[in-house]
Amino acid sequence: MAGTGGHPVRTVIVVLVVLGCGLLFWLLRYPCVPGRARFTFSFGTEERAARRALSDARGERRSAYDKARRSEADAERRWSERVAPYRKRVQELQAARAALPKPGQGQAVRPKRWLPPLELHQHVLLFMTKEASDGAERPSVDERLPLAGIAVEFGHTRDNVHIRVTRPDGTCRTEHYPRDREVAAYDLVEDIRNQVLRHEEFLRRREAREAELVAEIKRAEADLAQAGEAARPELDTVREAARTRRARADALLRAARDGWKKDAGGLRPWR
């Protein structure tokens, strides 16, 4: 029974808080000194006219800002639509350049003709380790040599044959094989030489295509910039009109605030 009166008390407190907040909001919108409070609270003709003038100025400002925002948004949309095809063209060309094939390792080239430790692929020549290590199924890569710029030679002596690979920097690496592998070694040298030519042709085609795309991208970017500049005067005009509209509305509201302060003899409204 002792707590039955708690709910009505809380209700009263909530109501008072709500009323207090409402009163504070009203006073912030229509401030005044105590001697001129009738302008804030009275419903006389003069007081209503004073409050209406300030309220109308606020409404005009909201409307002006909304119209300015919508006009700018429409102008920006039209500008974006005009430059969109040019921007799309630039993006397509950039994507085509990024999608150019890159000379990684590539597929194995005639693996049945490989001679350990040499393994030939589309874009690299691998020198493998002599033996697999740490339980691996096959030997690991000892050297990965891109095919561009390498030279390969077949040679033989009375006791063995060899394959000598000369790197682009002039250093060499030679692998020796028994005489009974002479034909196999010669065939592998032939495969490596042929694949070097294919790889270098691949690089030339890729470089040529990339140069074409770079030039096309530059032209497309220039077209995009030109289209943007051609459409910009309309956008700038709309933006300037929007700035003027907002400035005029701000000036009207400032005048209304000044008028309220003078008529009501109080403070200038905060908004």
Side-chain angles (χ1 to χ4, degrees), residues 70 77 185 202 241-242:
R70 285 189 281 109
R77 176 183 51 78
F202 164 84

Side-chain angles (χ1 to χ4, degrees), residues 17-186:
V17 169
V18 172
L19 291 176
C21 291
L23 178 61
L24 178 61
F25 178 73
W26 187 263
L27 287 173
L28 289 173
R29 288 176 61 83
Y30 304 105
C32 68
V33 297
R36 304 289 284 179
R38 63 186 181 83
F39 277 90
T40 300
F41 299 106
S42 175
F43 293 95
T45 302
E46 181 183 1
E47 294 82 0
R48 285 201 305 269
R51 288 196 298 272
R52 185 179 301 111
L54 183 56
S55 179
D56 289 347
R58 286 170 175 152
E60 178 63 26
R61 183 178 183 275
R62 287 193 299 271
S63 177
Y65 268 68
D66 182 62
K67 290 179 180 178
R69 178 187 57 77
R70 285 189 281 109
S71 65
E72 286 181 317
D74 289 342
E76 289 170 358
R77 176 183 51 78
R78 291 192 297 272
W79 183 88
S80 296
E81 289 175 349
R82 291 187 63 176
V83 303
Y86 301 94
R87 182 179 291 113
K88 181 180 179 182
R89 176 60 176 164
V90 171
Q91 293 171 345
E92 289 174 346
L93 290 171
Q94 290 174 337
R97 184 186 180 189
L100 286 174
K102 297 177 175 57
Q105 178 169 302
Q107 298 178 350
V109 177
R110 306 182 75 171
K112 292 182 178 181
R113 288 158 64 111
W114 292 351
L115 290 176
L118 295 174
E119 294 187 3
L120 179 62
H121 295 262
Q122 283 181 302
H123 305 295
V124 297
L125 179 64
L126 300 180
F127 290 87
M128 309 301 291
T129 56
K130 297 296 183 180
E131 297 179 357
S133 59
D134 298 330
E137 295 182 359
R138 61 189 302 270
S140 59
V141 176
D142 182 49
E143 181 179 3
R144 187 184 306 271
L145 187 60
L147 293 181
I150 72 169
V152 59
E153 299 174 1
F154 169 80
H156 61 86
T157 66
R158 185 179 62 181
D159 300 322
N160 58 45
V161 297
H162 63 265
I163 297 175
R164 177 177 291 114
V165 179
T166 303
R167 305 180 184 90
D169 64 2
T171 59
C172 299
R173 182 165 179 174
T174 304
E175 299 296 336
H176 298 273
Y177 303 96
R179 285 302 299 258
D180 62 359
R181 307 306 304 274
E182 180 176 356
V183 174
Y186 186 86

